[in-house]
Amino acid sequence: MSNDYLFHAGEATVLAADGQFTDAMPEILIGRTSGPVGQAFANMMAQSKGHTAMFAIRACNQLVRPATITVPKVTLKDVANIDLFGGVVQSATADAVVDCLIEGVIPKHLANELCIISLVWIDPRCAKDPNLDKKDMYRTNYEATKLAIKRALNNEPSIEELIANRHKIKHDMDDWSKLGPRALTPRGCLGSPLLDDREATDANPSSRLYTGFVREHRCADPATLESTWAEVEADQRAGLHALLLADYEWGARLLKAGHERLAPADQGALRVLMFERCERLSHAQAGRWLADQPGADGPAGTMQLQPSVDRAEFTAAIARIHEAIPPARPTRSTTPIACMAGCSARRWRCTGCCASGSPWPTGPTSRFPMAMRPRTFCRARPSCSCAAKPGSSPPGR
């Protein structure tokens, strides 16, 4: 964070609840009253027809600090829109500024030396909507203003992030530019990711179908994970559903495990895709949904892959691999990595390994997942109902 507070710009978008037009997308300038932001602030006091500027106040005689002026991005043509601007939006903006002081985002000792200009969006449909939810309008403007102030003072997004995303992210309304193969898909055009759990039932519909893609949050640098996740949580509070994707390269940088060997342009990232809807399905429902999709009888994916062997040849090749793998005794792992899946008393999940230097567990009450080469086994308490994978054997047998 820069410590001169001369000129900081930030923006944020928080989406409305379903059926509302209360999306908030404030654009913030914050800086010293003695600098260019202060001069622009003073110039804003000269009213422009249709773009009435107002101080952010929490109530009469409660002007917030830093002094904040709100300006509508669209022309306010009637009293209904002006009432929303000078009521819900003004209140949300003022509360957000004061909470930024309380939470330390804005230094309290500079509250009288800084000023804020906030350009705010009010969808013209809001004033005409008989079902307008003013609470949702307050929520979106409050959350977006806080996030925009935080981004402004942290100079986010960083130069590195902007360069890294140049050919990965495009404008939400963009249908004209040409991006590379890893580019962000425009809103609503990603398709419908399906996470199919074969054990999902009508009573426990654990398969998930995501539809209505909105945006992607991408974290290329683990150091920016906290700010990225704040954006994800803001979207979740707005009613969106998250689908998280992480590649090995990003994980290596996060854990600092082999990251020094990564190529500078490996493009590894944590990606969180946000969707409007998440429907829970049983395995049978997921199967029916897949069967209804165009091209459901063809190969999955986008590469138009074609089989090079038939089913019998494939089965025979796998059988030869199994025959070539001799039974193995347990061995300690040479690296102290934790068991990722663990042992569940309800179903088989053991794929872990012993940490280096740890003694083998002994005794009838021991419960410790270990790695076999090449098979996996589980030594568990007698009450544990998990069973070893077919073909595995406990140590010493």
Side-chain angles (χ1 to χ4, degrees), residues 58-368:
R58 297 198 62 253
C60 291
N61 305 315
Q62 290 291 302
L63 174 70
V64 302
R65 302 290 180 181
T68 301
I69 196 167
T70 55
V71 183
K73 300 181 186 179
V74 295
T75 303
L76 303 181
K77 298 181 179 180
D78 51 41
V79 173
N81 277 286
I82 294 173
D83 283 347
L84 290 176
F85 175 65
V88 182
V89 175
Q90 183 189 51
S91 172
T93 302
D95 287 350
V97 172
V98 174
D99 284 349
C100 282
L101 272 178
I102 294 172
E103 296 169 15
V105 176
I106 301 174
K108 294 179 183 178
H109 68 281
L110 293 177
N112 291 319
E113 299 179 27
L114 301 176
C115 60
I116 299 173
I117 300 172
S118 178
L119 307 183
V120 298
W121 162 258
I122 298 180
D123 192 309
R125 292 173 291 183
C126 287
K128 301 176 182 178
D129 184 3
N131 299 313
L132 174 65
D133 185 349
K134 291 185 177 180
K135 290 183 178 179
D136 193 63
M137 175 175 274
Y138 174 91
R139 176 191 64 81
T140 57
N141 280 275
Y142 172 82
E143 292 179 355
T145 300
K146 281 187 68 177
L147 185 56
I149 292 173
K150 180 180 178 181
R151 286 178 174 171
L153 293 179
N154 286 327
N155 296 318
E156 295 174 348
S158 66
I159 299 300
E160 293 75 18
E161 181 180 348
L162 289 170
I163 293 174
N165 289 334
R166 169 60 183 89
H167 295 290
K168 299 176 186 177
I169 295 178
K170 61 191 297 185
H171 195 282
D172 286 346
M173 299 175 65
D174 183 356
D175 60 0
W176 54 83
S177 66
K178 188 174 182 180
L179 297 181
R182 297 191 62 161
L184 174 66
T185 305
R187 176 174 178 148
C189 300
L190 182 68
S192 302
L194 172 65
L195 304 185
D196 186 10
D197 181 357
R198 65 174 298 168
E199 297 181 2
T201 63
D202 291 336
N204 181 29
S206 50
S207 294
R208 288 173 288 168
L209 174 64
Y210 294 85
T211 55
F213 175 71
V214 176
R215 67 170 62 84
E216 174 191 81
H217 297 289
R218 182 184 292 263
C219 177
D221 182 359
T224 65
L225 177 58
E226 184 176 348
S227 60
T228 300
W229 205 253
E231 299 172 10
V232 173
E233 290 179 331
D235 275 354
Q236 289 179 314
R237 288 191 295 271
L240 298 185
H241 303 273
L243 177 59
L244 186 146
L245 306 171
D247 52 38
Y248 287 106
E249 291 81 4
W250 190 86
R253 287 199 294 273
L254 175 68
L255 298 176
K256 296 185 174 13
H259 60 292
E260 66 278 355
R261 294 190 295 274
L262 294 177
D266 70 89
Q267 296 187 335
L270 173 77
R271 302 169 60 204
V272 186
L273 309 180
M274 308 304 301
F275 293 85
E276 293 175 345
R277 296 169 295 278
C278 176
E279 184 179 0
R280 294 188 175 274
L281 308 173
S282 68
H283 180 57
Q285 290 173 322
R288 288 193 292 270
W289 181 86
L290 285 170
D292 291 340
Q293 304 310 301
D297 56 344
T302 60
M303 299 178 63
Q304 302 298 320
L305 299 177
Q306 299 297 324
S308 59
V309 296
D310 58 26
R311 172 62 63 178
E313 291 175 300
F314 174 80
T315 302
I318 294 298
R320 288 195 298 273
I321 294 173
H322 286 174
E323 292 171 0
I325 300 175
R329 295 182 62 81
T331 179
R332 302 189 188 199
S333 170
T334 57
T335 57
I337 57 177
C339 175
M340 295 294 291
C343 172
S344 167
R346 296 179 55 196
R347 61 182 68 166
W348 174 258
R349 283 290 185 266
C350 292
T351 57
C353 64
C354 273
S356 175
S358 300
W360 294 107
T362 58
T365 61
S366 65
R367 184 183 182 188
F368 200 99

Side-chain angles (χ1 to χ4, degrees), residues 22-51:
T22 54
D23 298 338
M25 43 196 82
E27 297 165 2
I28 296 288
L29 277 182
I30 182 169
R32 292 187 178 273
T33 56
S34 58
V37 179
Q39 182 175 349
F41 185 98
N43 291 338
M44 288 287 183
M45 296 300 293
Q47 300 294 327
S48 175
K49 183 178 179 180
H51 293 267

